[in-house]
Amino acid sequence: NINLEIASSMQDKTYLRKTNIKTKVLFGVFNQGNIARRLDDDNDHFNIFTPFGDSKDILSNDNVFADKNHMLAKFINYTYSGLLKDGKYNSGAIFDYKNSPNQVNMEWFNAKHTDKTSSLAQAKHQLMKLKTLGLKSIKSNKTIQELLDMNRSTLESKFDVDFKGNYPFPDNFTDKLFDKMLRLEHNRWNAYHYLNGWEYSEDKNKSIKEHDCLLPIEDFPKYFKDKKRLTDLIEWDIYSFMYLPNYLAEAGYEIVDKEKIILNKGNKQCKTKHSDYL
């Protein structure tokens, strides 16, 4: 009962909490007493809940230690720390984590706890971003440079925008897939921070969990009048998906189009094992 009460309160904790919208709540359960099935069967009381998970899957080594996710989070933190070429977007950046991890690790070591947890949350969301674009990532033995070239080609083929940096603030976020992805990331970032106790403040103060960007992205022009400032702000959201080819290549993963994954017919085993997907 306590867990259900906590889960139900989540719908009032997202950045949409002041609007008349019901939030779909996803939460993991260990499934003792078939609680997940009982919640799924009771649409009258629990129609907004989608339970998932099983203890033997949730408590796997990969999930407990999350080495891959921490590696991606370190790259994210490193990118946002402005250590890439001139602090600007560099589509060909290779972090060379395996051979020379010192800079990446040192930046991670010196990062604030709130920045680390935010980077970890963004790393976990990369699966959803790929799924939104009809993509997946699979383990590969190709070189980092080969993976980067292939990953970038696959990702960029989904957009009609040739992003090189200094992207103008969109007039709306519905015409282009690129702009939808931009808004998707900012919505995720908003929700994550509100769920973790942050609040909007005109005077940003991370030490007390206040931030001036905790707003619907469509409202940014009302609060930030300088066009250069608007351009700089949305690049933080754009980097979240435009650097995916770099992060995944470094971690040894190839981005592939789900429609192009070849499956054996009938009941034969898929050529790519499920466990190989990140």
Side-chain angles (χ1 to χ4, degrees):
N1 288 337
I2 293 174
N3 286 339
L4 290 178
E5 183 178 348
I6 292 172
S8 64
S9 70
M10 288 175 66
Q11 65 179 312
D12 298 322
K13 301 294 186 183
T14 69
Y15 75 102
L16 294 171
R17 68 190 189 284
K18 294 181 181 178
T19 65
N20 188 25
I21 297 177
K22 283 190 175 182
T23 303
K24 195 72 176 178
V25 179
L26 308 173
F27 64 101
V29 296
F30 282 177
N31 212 26
Q32 282 92 343
N34 290 318
I35 187 172
R37 179 185 58 78
R38 293 164 65 185
L39 293 178
D40 278 337
D41 290 343
D42 190 348
N43 287 326
D44 291 334
H45 296 93
F46 304 112
N47 63 312
I48 67 167
F49 298 114
T50 302
F52 64 91
D54 185 277
S55 57
K56 68 178 184 297
D57 295 326
I58 295 172
L59 300 179
S60 65
N61 285 341
D62 282 347
N63 286 338
V64 171
F65 295 103
D67 289 339
K68 300 184 188 73
N69 194 63
H70 272 79
M71 185 184 294
L72 295 176
K74 287 180 180 181
F75 297 154
I76 291 168
N77 177 73
Y78 184 71
T79 302
Y80 288 148
S81 297
L83 296 181
L84 295 180
K85 183 180 179 181
D86 299 325
K88 298 297 183 181
Y89 179 67
N90 179 8
S91 62
I94 294 179
F95 302 93
D96 200 20
Y97 179 80
K98 294 179 181 177
N99 296 323
S100 181
N102 291 341
Q103 276 191 308
V104 176
N105 279 335
M106 186 57 65
E107 195 66 30
W108 180 257
F109 179 79
N110 291 327
K112 294 180 180 178
H113 176 71
T114 51
D115 290 337
K116 289 181 180 178
T117 53
S118 181
S119 294
L120 283 165
Q122 182 174 322
K124 292 177 181 178
H125 194 254
Q126 60 89 19
L127 281 173
M128 187 61 68
K129 290 184 175 70
L130 291 177
K131 185 175 181 179
T132 300
L133 296 169
L135 303 172
K136 280 189 175 182
S137 54
I138 59 174
K139 193 66 178 175
S140 174
N141 293 322
K142 296 182 176 71
T143 67
I144 294 176
Q145 188 62 60
E146 288 174 331
L147 288 173
L148 177 57
D149 293 342
M150 296 173 69
N151 289 352
R152 183 141 302 284
S153 176
T154 301
L155 180 81
E156 292 180 353
S157 69
K158 296 292 181 177
F159 300 123
D160 56 358
V161 171
D162 184 18
F163 175 72
K164 302 296 184 184
N166 297 318
Y167 189 70
F169 192 88
D171 293 330
N172 63 68
F173 293 87
T174 59
D175 290 343
K176 298 177 181 178
L177 177 59
F178 190 90
D179 298 341
K180 292 178 182 178
M181 290 294 295
L182 195 168
R183 181 175 59 180
L184 167 71
E185 168 58 17
H186 191 75
N187 287 350
R188 180 208 64 80
W189 184 86
N190 274 355
Y192 167 80
H193 282 81
Y194 274 121
L195 283 166
N196 283 276
W198 289 68
E199 291 293 341
Y200 167 78
S201 174
E202 184 177 350
D203 300 317
K204 181 170 68 174
N205 189 340
K206 286 188 174 183
S207 63
I208 56 174
K209 290 189 172 183
E210 292 183 348
H211 206 292
D212 58 344
C213 291
L214 281 167
L215 301 161
I217 199 165
E218 296 91 334
D219 292 346
F220 271 24
K222 300 177 185 177
Y223 295 84
F224 305 104
K225 302 299 183 181
D226 181 66
K227 290 186 177 180
K228 178 65 168 59
R229 171 76 167 148
L230 284 174
T231 299
D232 291 342
L233 286 176
I234 62 173
E235 285 203 350
W236 291 83
D237 297 308
I238 293 172
Y239 287 175
S240 73
F241 56 92
M242 288 304 289
Y243 271 119
L244 282 177
N246 310 63
Y247 304 149
L248 291 171
E250 186 74 30
Y253 285 84
E254 177 183 347
I255 298 176
V256 295
D257 196 312
K258 288 195 296 184
E259 295 181 357
K260 295 180 181 179
I261 296 176
I262 301 174
L263 302 176
N264 288 340
K265 293 183 179 180
N267 295 323
K268 293 182 180 180
Q269 186 180 14
C270 175
K271 289 184 178 179
T272 303
K273 294 185 215 177
H274 177 73
S275 60
D276 287 337
Y277 290 107
L278 175 62

